[in-house]
């Protein structure tokens, strides 16, 4: 199936979620929209191993809820574009992830299309935050400058 030459074809994504059924939804959505899913796994250590063995890096790494894995991956690979997908919208969690170096944070209960918007933004070296956490992110970045 040729999707044409839009920029999504060249964007590789890794999906890390310990719930295989929940992981399947964004993977199918990404693939159906023309993105390449480099790998998917439920475990942070497995993700590190898979990152090492691939020739190419994922342009974006989506991590569901697993803050420890996000921190671990960003410690070892600070240039990795990490998108957190979480139900947790409290200031402490969002700020903790921003301190760790994530590039985006979306809320699981947001519009299902939002994951595509976020992946596109991160793949273009932009940041992306769901409306529910964007205020926290704006305050955080204001304090950084």
């Amino acid at each position: 199936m040729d999707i044409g030459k839009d920029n999504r074809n060249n964007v590789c994504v890794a999906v890390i979620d310990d719930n295989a059924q929940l992981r399947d939804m964004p993977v199918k959505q990404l693939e159906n929209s023309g993105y390449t899913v480099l790998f998917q796994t439920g475990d942070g250590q497995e993700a590190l191993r898979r990152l090492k063995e691939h020739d190419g890096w994922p342009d974006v790494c989506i991590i569901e809820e697993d803050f420890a894995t996000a921190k671990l991956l960003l410690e070892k690979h600070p240039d990795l574009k990490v998108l957190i997908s979480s139900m947790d919208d409290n200031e402490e969690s969002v700020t903790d992830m921003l301190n760790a170096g994530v590039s985006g944070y979306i809320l699981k209960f947001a519009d299902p299309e939002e994951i595509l918007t976020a992946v596109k933004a991160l793949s273009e070296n932009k940041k992306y935050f769901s409306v529910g956490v964007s205020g926290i992110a704006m305050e955080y970045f204001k304090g950084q400058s």
Side-chain angles (χ1 to χ4, degrees):
M1 175 175 118
D2 186 20
I3 298 176
K5 286 290 168 215
D6 93 18
N7 67 344
R8 292 183 243 197
N9 293 28
N10 303 325
V11 176
C12 294
V13 182
V15 180
I16 304 165
D17 186 342
D18 62 0
N19 184 320
Q21 287 177 310
L22 290 178
R23 186 172 67 231
D24 206 37
M25 267 187 337
V27 166
K28 280 190 171 69
Q29 186 179 16
L30 289 159
E31 289 175 339
N32 290 340
S33 296
Y35 291 97
T36 300
V37 176
L38 199 57
F39 67 86
Q40 55 174 310
T41 182
D43 172 76
Q45 291 298 328
E46 170 73 6
L48 278 172
R49 189 181 66 69
R50 301 281 288 272
L51 284 170
K52 277 184 196 158
E53 69 189 29
H54 277 281
D55 287 337
W57 283 84
D59 296 292
V60 178
C61 190
I62 301 170
I63 302 178
E64 305 276 340
E65 299 283 355
D66 189 349
F67 295 165
T69 291
K71 286 179 177 177
L72 179 69
L73 287 178
L74 286 164
E75 280 172 15
K76 300 225 183 266
H77 307 286
D79 294 337
L80 194 62
K81 304 279 184 269
V82 172
L83 174 66
I84 291 290
S85 175
S86 176
M87 291 176 60
D88 203 343
D89 64 355
N90 72 59
E91 186 172 350
E92 184 180 349
S93 295
V94 176
T95 302
D96 194 32
M97 285 293 89
L98 289 168
N99 283 332
V102 301
S103 300
Y105 196 111
I106 61 172
L107 298 172
K108 281 190 176 193
F109 48 80
D111 179 341
E113 290 293 307
E114 189 172 28
I115 196 164
L116 300 175
T117 304
V119 168
K120 182 178 187 308
L122 269 62
S123 72
E124 295 170 348
N125 287 317
K126 299 175 186 165
K127 298 198 179 293
Y128 186 91
F129 301 94
S130 286
V131 171
V133 297
S134 62
I136 297 168
M138 283 177 26
E139 286 301 313
Y140 174 85
F141 289 115
K142 228 188 273 180
Q144 298 295 303
S145 54

